Amino acid sequence: FSTHIMGGDMGLICRLFIAGVTNLGEIVIVHTEQVPIGNFRTRYVQLCKQFRVTAKVLDMQPYVETILNLQQNDANLFAGIFVTRKGLALYDTTSRDENEKAGKMAIKQVSINKNGVLDVILDELRKGTIKIRKTADWEDVKAQLTSMKRVKQVTDDGVQYVWRKPADGDDHFHMAL
């Protein structure tokens, strides 16, 4: 692989993907892990060193302070926040240095258009551009990647299709991807 990347969904149990990126731009999930939040910081550092991860996006909710603290020592970590909006833009990044005089903190954030990105992920999985090796978490990964459904929603602005997770299902590995 030319590089490794990490995606994570934060919670009491944090779900992580580590993926290798091929020279053709294919993403191959090589490691999955479910880490209790109490062990997260230590395990995060270990995995980044073990796989030589060069870029990371971790869901910033509900542990904003954890992400902000990790960013102080990791210039390649972006806080991810899911947004819902119309349009083709799948994501927007915000990156700025701290400016004490202006009262602004350093920010590295990516705003992810949830419905658009989940559509693209489904398409990439179907095309085989994203591949997933069977890991110890395979059954959980498979269940969580298939729990969300795309449903039609009628609003004042018209009809749109949105992704919904069932009340009895988890989507954590899906959100980590």
Side-chain angles (χ1 to χ4, degrees):
F1 296 110
S2 57
T3 190
H4 283 87
I5 56 178
M6 176 189 286
D9 185 51
M10 302 297 286
L12 290 175
I13 302 295
C14 306
R15 275 55 170 217
L16 297 173
F17 276 122
I18 308 276
V21 180
T22 70
N23 58 357
L24 299 173
E26 296 171 326
I27 296 171
V28 181
I29 307 296
V30 296
H31 182 80
T32 61
E33 194 161 331
Q34 301 183 66
V35 183
I37 189 63
N39 299 336
F40 181 76
R41 291 177 196 216
T42 301
R43 192 65 185 130
Y44 171 82
V45 170
Q46 291 169 343
L47 289 169
C48 288
K49 285 181 183 175
Q50 178 183 347
F51 288 95
R52 297 182 181 168
V53 177
T54 57
K56 307 104 181 170
V57 176
L58 301 176
D59 173 27
M60 65 184 244
Q61 295 295 335
Y63 298 106
V64 174
E65 76 288 348
T66 300
I67 304 302
L68 289 171
N69 286 330
L70 288 171
Q71 283 182 335
Q72 290 178 2
N73 297 312
D74 189 340
N76 296 318
L77 169 60
F78 280 79
I81 184 163
F82 289 100
V83 297
T84 303
R85 64 173 167 237
K86 292 182 177 181
L88 292 175
L90 297 177
Y91 62 90
D92 290 311
T93 57
T94 303
S95 183
R96 72 170 184 234
D97 294 328
E98 183 174 13
N99 184 337
E100 286 185 32
K101 288 182 182 178
K104 296 191 180 216
M105 64 184 281
I107 292 180
K108 283 195 176 287
Q109 175 181 305
V110 58
S111 298
I112 304 159
N113 184 350
K114 181 180 174 182
N115 293 313
V117 165
L118 291 175
D119 286 346
V120 169
I121 288 172
L122 177 60
D123 187 52
E124 296 297 322
L125 285 166
R126 285 178 174 161
K127 289 190 308 191
T129 312
I130 297 176
K131 297 172 174 60
I132 304 173
R133 289 186 184 165
K134 288 188 178 179
T135 64
D137 296 309
W138 173 245
E139 291 304 320
D140 286 335
V141 169
K142 185 170 67 171
Q144 291 177 27
L145 284 176
T146 58
S147 70
M148 293 185 70
K149 304 297 178 208
R150 197 167 183 256
V151 297
K152 185 160 100 175
Q153 178 178 313
V154 179
T155 66
D156 292 340
D157 295 334
V159 175
Q160 62 181 344
Y161 289 88
V162 297
W163 286 89
R164 297 262 188 253
K165 79 172 183 173
D168 62 344
D170 283 332
D171 64 354
H172 304 292
F173 274 119
H174 204 163
M175 295 293 102
L177 187 54

